[in-house]
Amino acid sequence: MRERRFTIGRGSSCDIVLADATVSRLHATLTLLEGGRLLLTDCHSANGTKVFVKGNPLRITHELVLPGDSVQFGDIVWEVNDMLKALWLKNPNFDPANYSHPQEVLRSEYDPTKLSGLLVVCKSCYYLKPKGETCPNCLTPEASTLNDG
C-alpha cells in the first residue's frame, strides 16, 4: 500500500473542506502511512494546527495522530475519526477502518514534544523517518526536514 495524502482547508480544492474564516485555504494535510499510521502536518497555516494531548491543545508542525484524537484547525475542533469518515464519503473505496496506530504507539505513552525537530521526510519518497537515518522505504540517505517547506 502506498501513502495517500489528503488536504484539509477552506479552499474548495481541498479533500476536506472546512468552511470557517479561521481555517487557511490550505491548512493541513493528513497522510495515511503504511502500517495504518496517520500523519497530520500543518501547512504553515495562519492560526495553526493543534492536537489535544491529555486535554491540552499542543500546536504542531507534524504529528502522528490516532483516530480518537481531537485536533484543532483555527477555531474548528474535530476528531480524526470524523476526518476519516469525511474522506470515506468523498471516496467510497477508501476504508477508514484500515487506519489506526499499532498498539506500541499508544497516546498515553507518547510525548510529541520529544519528537520536535527529530523527524524528517525523505526527498525521494516522502517517507517519515528519524533524522540522520537512511530511509527504510527507498534506502536514500538524503532527507529534508518537514519545516523546510
Side-chain angles (χ1 to χ4, degrees):
M1 176 183 76
R2 301 247 334 130
E3 288 181 0
R4 294 178 65 188
R5 181 172 291 138
F6 297 96
T7 55
I8 303 163
R10 194 179 71 235
S12 61
S13 63
C14 288
D15 297 302
I16 298 173
V17 178
L18 300 175
D20 186 273
T22 63
V23 175
S24 296
R25 280 187 200 99
L26 175 59
H27 199 98
T29 60
L30 181 66
T31 305
L32 313 178
L33 302 169
E34 292 201 26
R37 295 175 298 150
L38 302 164
L39 176 66
L40 183 65
T41 304
D42 183 74
C43 295
H44 306 287
S45 63
N47 293 314
T49 300
K50 298 173 184 166
V51 175
F52 286 80
V53 178
K54 298 179 184 172
N56 297 313
L58 175 68
R59 190 169 182 150
I60 58 118
T61 302
H62 52 273
E63 180 69 57
L64 291 172
V65 293
L66 296 165
D69 285 343
S70 291
V71 296
Q72 184 173 349
F73 307 101
D75 290 341
I76 302 295
V77 177
W78 219 23
E79 274 197 21
V80 174
N81 272 330
D82 293 329
M83 285 188 273
L84 295 172
K85 288 176 192 173
L87 291 173
W88 174 71
L89 289 172
K90 284 186 88 170
N91 306 288
N93 294 330
F94 171 74
D95 184 1
N98 290 332
Y99 298 96
S100 63
H101 277 294
Q103 287 297 317
E104 61 268 17
V105 192
L106 293 175
R107 175 62 61 205
S108 62
E109 300 169 12
Y110 180 62
D111 183 357
T113 59
K114 291 181 182 176
L115 293 177
S116 180
L118 299 177
L119 298 179
V120 295
V121 173
C122 176
K123 287 181 181 177
S124 299
C125 69
Y126 303 103
Y127 188 87
L128 185 69
K129 68 180 196 72
K131 185 176 183 176
E133 292 185 15
T134 298
C135 177
N137 191 45
C138 71
L139 303 177
T140 303
E142 189 176 331
S144 170
T145 64
L146 286 170
N147 292 343
D148 284 350

